[in-house]
Amino acid sequence: MSGFAPENDDRQRVRDASDIVAVVGEHLSLKAKGREYVGLCPFHDDRNPSMCVIPAKQIFHCFVCGAGGDVFTFIQKYHSMGFREALEYLAQRGNIELTPFKKFGVGGNDGEGSYQRNQMGKREVMAANETAQSFFKAIISHPEHGSAARKIIEERGISQEMVERFGIGASPDRWDGLLMTAEKNGMSISALMGAGLIKERDTGGYYDALRNRLIFPITDQIGRVIAFGGRKINEEDEPKYLNSPETALFRKSTTLYGINHAARAIKRERTAVVVEGYTDVIACHQAGVEHVVGTLGTALTSGHATVLRRLCDTVVLLFDGDHA
Ligand code: ZN
């Protein structure tokens, strides 16, 4: 069909720029074996390297679970993405500009195929998180609204470089800060509710879920914001930490804070260090120890272990002991 010609061209250009060994190697540790590479398969509970990557054919294949395909299949399966999303991710990675495609963001029209409709929940939450992240970042540099949050950062000895690397933000001391920003930007309330950032009052109307907090964006392995953690600014507020609820994008039991900044070092060191809190992770990275990730106030789950086992052999737990 001629209507798909630009996309086919994009697909080829992106494929040419996305060597499968390099792309898979960014997600799991690969070892050369003759003309091929082997690693632990991320698609089943693999103990012995069963996944084979074949550079000559630009494909991967698992001998145990049968998973296999090209570089797009790998990204789609690994990140639970649709084809278009995987194409965009690999294009961004390879600095390739795609042929403009009809936007299917928040409030998009119908008639754009079933893929877009299926992805609507995730895309809406992702868009809401992006809006919120811009807002929280703007607040932390605001002379008045960000001053209390900046004071905590200073007391904790967190450098400006880390504030930027980890995208730390703040929410203002009012119940409608994000709400008003969203309205101004034409973002739908339902998207923000889907992201758990806006809640509905029993008496009608809406309010910000994270009010007056230091905000730590939580990302997936490729750096997309999937949730937020908020630390209280006022002593009298409870609880001390408040996370986004689980959403179409966010599963607490498989998410590790800082994984996007730590994955490379974890593979290099063949070891992951797991700590408890956001600020513990940031302090380690600031000290130049980058193979460190954090759980989100939980014990290490089997989901976390699965994510880490793909990257390294050894996991060191550094927990205070005052929680679990
Ligand atoms: Zn497998």
Side-chain angles (χ1 to χ4, degrees), residues 41-69:
C41 173
F43 307 120
H44 77 274
D45 185 17
D46 199 6
R47 309 271 162 176
N48 291 302
S50 314
M51 175 169 285
C52 176
V53 181
I54 307 165
K57 294 183 180 165
Q58 288 292 303
I59 58 167
F60 71 98
H61 179 71
C62 171
F63 293 105
V64 175
C65 71

Side-chain angles (χ1 to χ4, degrees), residues 142-259:
H142 189 278
E144 181 195 339
H145 298 304
S147 67
R150 287 196 302 273
K151 192 157 164 269
I152 295 181
I153 285 176
E154 201 174 304
E155 283 165 5
R156 291 254 164 172
I158 299 172
S159 70
Q160 189 53 36
E161 192 192 341
M162 291 301 124
V163 170
E164 273 153 36
R165 187 185 299 179
F166 285 87
I168 302 172
S171 57
D173 187 10
R174 53 187 297 164
W175 292 106
D176 60 356
L178 180 59
L179 199 56
M180 276 172 35
T181 303
E183 278 167 5
K184 216 162 52 194
N185 293 339
M187 159 128 320
S188 77
I189 298 291
S190 72
L192 287 157
M193 286 179 71
L197 291 163
I198 297 283
K199 292 185 172 176
E200 198 165 6
R201 289 186 196 282
D202 296 337
T203 52
Y206 303 95
Y207 65 97
D208 287 12
L210 298 169
R211 178 201 58 96
N212 202 25
R213 286 178 179 266
L214 189 60
I215 304 285
F216 299 92
I218 298 163
T219 73
D220 62 13
Q221 202 170 323
I222 57 179
R224 301 178 303 175
V225 176
I226 54 172
F228 296 93
R231 184 200 188 278
K232 68 179 180 183
I233 287 175
N234 281 349
E235 269 314 305
E236 57 269 27
D237 282 346
E238 287 298 335
K240 186 173 179 188
Y241 284 96
L242 199 55
N243 281 335
S244 301
E246 304 228 325
T247 65
L249 288 177
F250 177 48
R251 294 279 169 276
K252 201 171 175 179
S253 63
T254 54
T255 302
L256 289 156
Y257 180 69
I259 187 76

Side-chain angles (χ1 to χ4, degrees), residues 255-257 274-278 293-301 304 319:
T255 302
L256 289 156
Y257 180 69
V274 184
V275 296
E276 243 168 337
Y278 306 107
V293 289
T295 59
L296 302 169
T298 63
L300 194 77
T301 65
H304 294 137
F319 281 13

